Amino acid sequence: MTATTQRLIAFIQDNLVQDGDDIEIDETTPLLVSGLLDSLRTARLLNFLRRDLGVAIPAAKLDPGNFRDVAAIVAMVEELESV
């Protein structure tokens, strides 16, 4: 598991999972299907990616497939970092 993956999992677990929800986040937890990502939480996630990981997500990448799980988000981040 990469450092980016670990940081992203920790952020989601600590900041996006609501108190009382019995969800344990890992690389394959379905973020959209589970209802974990709504518009407000997605905005918080995008801010984390920009501020803490230094990767601004362009509008063209705001596709549900890029946010289906942590593995998809990390793949998108790594792709953006390589350009």
Side-chain angles (χ1 to χ4, degrees):
M1 184 179 310
T2 67
T4 301
T5 302
Q6 291 173 335
R7 289 177 69 189
L8 190 54
I9 288 172
F11 172 80
I12 293 170
Q13 190 71 54
D14 296 342
N15 296 283
L16 303 183
V17 175
Q18 293 183 349
D19 292 338
D21 285 351
D22 191 27
I23 299 174
E24 188 65 34
I25 302 299
D26 64 26
E27 291 179 81
T28 61
T29 302
L31 302 175
L32 295 172
V33 174
S34 69
L36 189 61
L37 282 182
D38 57 20
S39 58
L40 179 60
R41 290 182 187 139
T42 300
R44 290 176 69 191
L45 174 61
L46 292 172
N47 189 48
F48 167 79
L49 294 171
R50 181 183 51 76
R51 185 189 67 235
D52 291 38
L53 298 183
V55 178
I57 307 300
K61 292 291 186 180
L62 296 178
D63 179 89
N66 289 329
F67 294 89
R68 77 179 169 274
D69 56 27
V70 170
I73 297 170
V74 169
M76 174 183 59
V77 165
E78 289 173 348
E79 174 189 336
L80 291 169
E81 287 177 329
S82 70
V83 253

